[in-house]
mmCIF file with all atom_site columns, all heavy atoms in Angstrom:
data_model
loop_
_atom_site.group_PDB
_atom_site.id
_atom_site.type_symbol
_atom_site.label_atom_id
_atom_site.label_alt_id
_atom_site.label_comp_id
_atom_site.label_asym_id
_atom_site.label_entity_id
_atom_site.label_seq_id
_atom_site.pdbx_PDB_ins_code
_atom_site.Cartn_x
_atom_site.Cartn_y
_atom_site.Cartn_z
_atom_site.occupancy
_atom_site.B_iso_or_equiv
_atom_site.pdbx_formal_charge
_atom_site.auth_seq_id
_atom_site.auth_comp_id
_atom_site.auth_asym_id
_atom_site.auth_atom_id
_atom_site.pdbx_PDB_model_num
ATOM 1   N N   . ILE A 1 57 ? -23.079 23.089 6.958  1.00 90.00 ? 57 ILE A N   1
ATOM 2   C CA  . ILE A 1 57 ? -22.259 24.301 7.017  1.00 90.00 ? 57 ILE A CA  1
ATOM 3   C C   . ILE A 1 57 ? -22.296 25.094 5.712  1.00 90.00 ? 57 ILE A C   1
ATOM 4   O O   . ILE A 1 57 ? -22.352 26.317 5.722  1.00 90.00 ? 57 ILE A O   1
ATOM 5   C CB  . ILE A 1 57 ? -20.792 23.948 7.369  1.00 90.00 ? 57 ILE A CB  1
ATOM 6   C CG1 . ILE A 1 57 ? -20.722 23.422 8.797  1.00 90.00 ? 57 ILE A CG1 1
ATOM 7   C CG2 . ILE A 1 57 ? -19.887 25.154 7.205  1.00 90.00 ? 57 ILE A CG2 1
ATOM 8   C CD1 . ILE A 1 57 ? -19.355 22.891 9.166  1.00 90.00 ? 57 ILE A CD1 1
ATOM 9   N N   . GLY A 1 58 ? -22.226 24.406 4.602  1.00 82.00 ? 58 GLY A N   1
ATOM 10  C CA  . GLY A 1 58 ? -22.099 25.101 3.329  1.00 82.00 ? 58 GLY A CA  1
ATOM 11  C C   . GLY A 1 58 ? -23.305 24.943 2.435  1.00 82.00 ? 58 GLY A C   1
ATOM 12  O O   . GLY A 1 58 ? -24.198 24.151 2.702  1.00 82.00 ? 58 GLY A O   1
ATOM 13  N N   . HIS A 1 59 ? -23.311 25.714 1.363  1.00 89.00 ? 59 HIS A N   1
ATOM 14  C CA  . HIS A 1 59 ? -24.394 25.659 0.383  1.00 89.00 ? 59 HIS A CA  1
ATOM 15  C C   . HIS A 1 59 ? -23.782 25.680 -1.013 1.00 89.00 ? 59 HIS A C   1
ATOM 16  O O   . HIS A 1 59 ? -23.619 26.744 -1.606 1.00 89.00 ? 59 HIS A O   1
ATOM 17  C CB  . HIS A 1 59 ? -25.367 26.826 0.579  1.00 89.00 ? 59 HIS A CB  1
ATOM 18  C CG  . HIS A 1 59 ? -25.965 26.859 1.937  1.00 89.00 ? 59 HIS A CG  1
ATOM 19  N ND1 . HIS A 1 59 ? -26.919 25.966 2.347  1.00 89.00 ? 59 HIS A ND1 1
ATOM 20  C CD2 . HIS A 1 59 ? -25.700 27.643 3.009  1.00 89.00 ? 59 HIS A CD2 1
ATOM 21  C CE1 . HIS A 1 59 ? -27.244 26.214 3.606  1.00 89.00 ? 59 HIS A CE1 1
ATOM 22  N NE2 . HIS A 1 59 ? -26.512 27.220 4.033  1.00 89.00 ? 59 HIS A NE2 1
ATOM 23  N N   . THR A 1 60 ? -23.441 24.499 -1.490 1.00 95.00 ? 60 THR A N   1
ATOM 24  C CA  . THR A 1 60 ? -22.865 24.359 -2.826 1.00 95.00 ? 60 THR A CA  1
ATOM 25  C C   . THR A 1 60 ? -23.559 23.194 -3.526 1.00 95.00 ? 60 THR A C   1
ATOM 26  O O   . THR A 1 60 ? -24.222 22.378 -2.866 1.00 95.00 ? 60 THR A O   1
ATOM 27  C CB  . THR A 1 60 ? -21.351 24.058 -2.765 1.00 95.00 ? 60 THR A CB  1
ATOM 28  O OG1 . THR A 1 60 ? -21.165 22.748 -2.197 1.00 95.00 ? 60 THR A OG1 1
ATOM 29  C CG2 . THR A 1 60 ? -20.589 25.101 -1.949 1.00 95.00 ? 60 THR A CG2 1
ATOM 30  N N   . PRO A 1 61 ? -23.406 23.075 -4.823 1.00 95.00 ? 61 PRO A N   1
ATOM 31  C CA  . PRO A 1 61 ? -23.987 21.921 -5.525 1.00 95.00 ? 61 PRO A CA  1
ATOM 32  C C   . PRO A 1 61 ? -23.456 20.583 -4.989 1.00 95.00 ? 61 PRO A C   1
ATOM 33  O O   . PRO A 1 61 ? -24.218 19.619 -4.867 1.00 95.00 ? 61 PRO A O   1
ATOM 34  C CB  . PRO A 1 61 ? -23.564 22.143 -6.972 1.00 95.00 ? 61 PRO A CB  1
ATOM 35  C CG  . PRO A 1 61 ? -23.405 23.623 -7.087 1.00 95.00 ? 61 PRO A CG  1
ATOM 36  C CD  . PRO A 1 61 ? -22.847 24.058 -5.762 1.00 95.00 ? 61 PRO A CD  1
ATOM 37  N N   . LEU A 1 62 ? -22.175 20.535 -4.652 1.00 95.00 ? 62 LEU A N   1
ATOM 38  C CA  . LEU A 1 62 ? -21.630 19.291 -4.085 1.00 95.00 ? 62 LEU A CA  1
ATOM 39  C C   . LEU A 1 62 ? -22.280 18.988 -2.743 1.00 95.00 ? 62 LEU A C   1
ATOM 40  O O   . LEU A 1 62 ? -22.608 17.838 -2.454 1.00 95.00 ? 62 LEU A O   1
ATOM 41  C CB  . LEU A 1 62 ? -20.107 19.378 -3.946 1.00 95.00 ? 62 LEU A CB  1
ATOM 42  C CG  . LEU A 1 62 ? -19.414 18.137 -3.372 1.00 95.00 ? 62 LEU A CG  1
ATOM 43  C CD1 . LEU A 1 62 ? -19.729 16.883 -4.195 1.00 95.00 ? 62 LEU A CD1 1
ATOM 44  C CD2 . LEU A 1 62 ? -17.905 18.367 -3.281 1.00 95.00 ? 62 LEU A CD2 1
ATOM 45  N N   . ASN A 1 63 ? -22.509 20.026 -1.926 1.00 95.00 ? 63 ASN A N   1
ATOM 46  C CA  . ASN A 1 63 ? -23.231 19.821 -0.661 1.00 95.00 ? 63 ASN A CA  1
ATOM 47  C C   . ASN A 1 63 ? -24.617 19.235 -0.918 1.00 95.00 ? 63 ASN A C   1
ATOM 48  O O   . ASN A 1 63 ? -25.071 18.333 -0.209 1.00 95.00 ? 63 ASN A O   1
ATOM 49  C CB  . ASN A 1 63 ? -23.377 21.139 0.096  1.00 95.00 ? 63 ASN A CB  1
ATOM 50  C CG  . ASN A 1 63 ? -22.339 21.300 1.170  1.00 95.00 ? 63 ASN A CG  1
ATOM 51  O OD1 . ASN A 1 63 ? -21.487 20.455 1.372  1.00 95.00 ? 63 ASN A OD1 1
ATOM 52  N ND2 . ASN A 1 63 ? -22.405 22.416 1.866  1.00 95.00 ? 63 ASN A ND2 1
ATOM 53  N N   . ASP A 1 64 ? -25.303 19.782 -1.924 1.00 96.00 ? 64 ASP A N   1
ATOM 54  C CA  . ASP A 1 64 ? -26.641 19.265 -2.238 1.00 96.00 ? 64 ASP A CA  1
ATOM 55  C C   . ASP A 1 64 ? -26.571 17.797 -2.666 1.00 96.00 ? 64 ASP A C   1
ATOM 56  O O   . ASP A 1 64 ? -27.427 16.998 -2.290 1.00 96.00 ? 64 ASP A O   1
ATOM 57  C CB  . ASP A 1 64 ? -27.298 20.105 -3.335 1.00 96.00 ? 64 ASP A CB  1
ATOM 58  C CG  . ASP A 1 64 ? -27.761 21.455 -2.824 1.00 96.00 ? 64 ASP A CG  1
ATOM 59  O OD1 . ASP A 1 64 ? -28.048 21.580 -1.616 1.00 96.00 ? 64 ASP A OD1 1
ATOM 60  O OD2 . ASP A 1 64 ? -27.833 22.396 -3.634 1.00 96.00 ? 64 ASP A OD2 1
ATOM 61  N N   . TRP A 1 65 ? -25.566 17.453 -3.448 1.00 96.00 ? 65 TRP A N   1
ATOM 62  C CA  . TRP A 1 65 ? -25.422 16.061 -3.887 1.00 96.00 ? 65 TRP A CA  1
ATOM 63  C C   . TRP A 1 65 ? -25.175 15.150 -2.684 1.00 96.00 ? 65 TRP A C   1
ATOM 64  O O   . TRP A 1 65 ? -25.814 14.098 -2.549 1.00 96.00 ? 65 TRP A O   1
ATOM 65  C CB  . TRP A 1 65 ? -24.288 15.954 -4.886 1.00 96.00 ? 65 TRP A CB  1
ATOM 66  C CG  . TRP A 1 65 ? -24.110 14.607 -5.529 1.00 96.00 ? 65 TRP A CG  1
ATOM 67  C CD1 . TRP A 1 65 ? -24.896 13.492 -5.372 1.00 96.00 ? 65 TRP A CD1 1
ATOM 68  C CD2 . TRP A 1 65 ? -23.092 14.226 -6.438 1.00 96.00 ? 65 TRP A CD2 1
ATOM 69  N NE1 . TRP A 1 65 ? -24.417 12.451 -6.141 1.00 96.00 ? 65 TRP A NE1 1
ATOM 70  C CE2 . TRP A 1 65 ? -23.309 12.890 -6.797 1.00 96.00 ? 65 TRP A CE2 1
ATOM 71  C CE3 . TRP A 1 65 ? -22.004 14.900 -6.984 1.00 96.00 ? 65 TRP A CE3 1
ATOM 72  C CZ2 . TRP A 1 65 ? -22.471 12.204 -7.686 1.00 96.00 ? 65 TRP A CZ2 1
ATOM 73  C CZ3 . TRP A 1 65 ? -21.188 14.219 -7.871 1.00 96.00 ? 65 TRP A CZ3 1
ATOM 74  C CH2 . TRP A 1 65 ? -21.426 12.891 -8.211 1.00 96.00 ? 65 TRP A CH2 1
ATOM 75  N N   . ILE A 1 66 ? -24.278 15.559 -1.798 1.00 97.00 ? 66 ILE A N   1
ATOM 76  C CA  . ILE A 1 66 ? -24.004 14.744 -0.609 1.00 97.00 ? 66 ILE A CA  1
ATOM 77  C C   . ILE A 1 66 ? -25.249 14.682 0.277  1.00 97.00 ? 66 ILE A C   1
ATOM 78  O O   . ILE A 1 66 ? -25.579 13.629 0.828  1.00 97.00 ? 66 ILE A O   1
ATOM 79  C CB  . ILE A 1 66 ? -22.776 15.275 0.162  1.00 97.00 ? 66 ILE A CB  1
ATOM 80  C CG1 . ILE A 1 66 ? -21.525 15.279 -0.731 1.00 97.00 ? 66 ILE A CG1 1
ATOM 81  C CG2 . ILE A 1 66 ? -22.531 14.462 1.435  1.00 97.00 ? 66 ILE A CG2 1
ATOM 82  C CD1 . ILE A 1 66 ? -21.140 13.932 -1.307 1.00 97.00 ? 66 ILE A CD1 1
ATOM 83  N N   . ALA A 1 67 ? -25.960 15.800 0.390  1.00 97.00 ? 67 ALA A N   1
ATOM 84  C CA  . ALA A 1 67 ? -27.212 15.804 1.165  1.00 97.00 ? 67 ALA A CA  1
ATOM 85  C C   . ALA A 1 67 ? -28.211 14.821 0.565  1.00 97.00 ? 67 ALA A C   1
ATOM 86  O O   . ALA A 1 67 ? -28.912 14.102 1.300  1.00 97.00 ? 67 ALA A O   1
ATOM 87  C CB  . ALA A 1 67 ? -27.809 17.214 1.210  1.00 97.00 ? 67 ALA A CB  1
ATOM 88  N N   . ALA A 1 68 ? -28.276 14.753 -0.761 1.00 97.00 ? 68 ALA A N   1
ATOM 89  C CA  . ALA A 1 68 ? -29.182 13.810 -1.428 1.00 97.00 ? 68 ALA A CA  1
ATOM 90  C C   . ALA A 1 68 ? -28.782 12.368 -1.108 1.00 97.00 ? 68 ALA A C   1
ATOM 91  O O   . ALA A 1 68 ? -29.636 11.530 -0.814 1.00 97.00 ? 68 ALA A O   1
ATOM 92  C CB  . ALA A 1 68 ? -29.165 14.040 -2.940 1.00 97.00 ? 68 ALA A CB  1
ATOM 93  N N   . LYS A 1 69 ? -27.485 12.102 -1.156 1.00 96.00 ? 69 LYS A N   1
ATOM 94  C CA  . LYS A 1 69 ? -27.004 10.752 -0.859 1.00 96.00 ? 69 LYS A CA  1
ATOM 95  C C   . LYS A 1 69 ? -27.292 10.367 0.589  1.00 96.00 ? 69 LYS A C   1
ATOM 96  O O   . LYS A 1 69 ? -27.683 9.233  0.879  1.00 96.00 ? 69 LYS A O   1
ATOM 97  C CB  . LYS A 1 69 ? -25.502 10.660 -1.149 1.00 96.00 ? 69 LYS A CB  1
ATOM 98  C CG  . LYS A 1 69 ? -25.184 10.777 -2.629 1.00 96.00 ? 69 LYS A CG  1
ATOM 99  C CD  . LYS A 1 69 ? -23.733 11.076 -2.912 1.00 96.00 ? 69 LYS A CD  1
ATOM 100 C CE  . LYS A 1 69 ? -22.789 10.013 -2.574 1.00 96.00 ? 69 LYS A CE  1
ATOM 101 N NZ  . LYS A 1 69 ? -22.040 9.460  -3.688 1.00 96.00 ? 69 LYS A NZ  1
ATOM 102 N N   . LEU A 1 70 ? -27.102 11.320 1.503  1.00 97.00 ? 70 LEU A N   1
ATOM 103 C CA  . LEU A 1 70 ? -27.384 11.066 2.916  1.00 97.00 ? 70 LEU A CA  1
ATOM 104 C C   . LEU A 1 70 ? -28.881 10.815 3.132  1.00 97.00 ? 70 LEU A C   1
ATOM 105 O O   . LEU A 1 70 ? -29.263 9.912  3.877  1.00 97.00 ? 70 LEU A O   1
ATOM 106 C CB  . LEU A 1 70 ? -26.907 12.237 3.775  1.00 97.00 ? 70 LEU A CB  1
ATOM 107 C CG  . LEU A 1 70 ? -25.392 12.380 3.912  1.00 97.00 ? 70 LEU A CG  1
ATOM 108 C CD1 . LEU A 1 70 ? -25.034 13.753 4.461  1.00 97.00 ? 70 LEU A CD1 1
ATOM 109 C CD2 . LEU A 1 70 ? -24.826 11.269 4.788  1.00 97.00 ? 70 LEU A CD2 1
ATOM 110 N N   . ALA A 1 71 ? -29.715 11.605 2.474  1.00 96.00 ? 71 ALA A N   1
ATOM 111 C CA  . ALA A 1 71 ? -31.164 11.424 2.602  1.00 96.00 ? 71 ALA A CA  1
ATOM 112 C C   . ALA A 1 71 ? -31.582 10.072 2.027  1.00 96.00 ? 71 ALA A C   1
ATOM 113 O O   . ALA A 1 71 ? -32.424 9.376  2.608  1.00 96.00 ? 71 ALA A O   1
ATOM 114 C CB  . ALA A 1 71 ? -31.899 12.562 1.909  1.00 96.00 ? 71 ALA A CB  1
ATOM 115 N N   . LEU A 1 72 ? -30.995 9.693  0.914  1.00 94.00 ? 72 LEU A N   1
ATOM 116 C CA  . LEU A 1 72 ? -31.285 8.382  0.323  1.00 94.00 ? 72 LEU A CA  1
ATOM 117 C C   . LEU A 1 72 ? -30.860 7.273  1.277  1.00 94.00 ? 72 LEU A C   1
ATOM 118 O O   . LEU A 1 72 ? -31.585 6.301  1.482  1.00 94.00 ? 72 LEU A O   1
ATOM 119 C CB  . LEU A 1 72 ? -30.566 8.255  -1.025 1.00 94.00 ? 72 LEU A CB  1
ATOM 120 C CG  . LEU A 1 72 ? -30.864 7.042  -1.876 1.00 94.00 ? 72 LEU A CG  1
ATOM 121 C CD1 . LEU A 1 72 ? -32.355 6.917  -2.191 1.00 94.00 ? 72 LEU A CD1 1
ATOM 122 C CD2 . LEU A 1 72 ? -30.074 7.111  -3.180 1.00 94.00 ? 72 LEU A CD2 1
#
Side-chain angles (χ1 to χ4, degrees):
I57 293 173
H59 302 287
T60 67
L62 180 57
N63 262 1
D64 286 334
W65 186 4
I66 301 302
K69 292 164 67 118
L70 289 165
L72 187 57

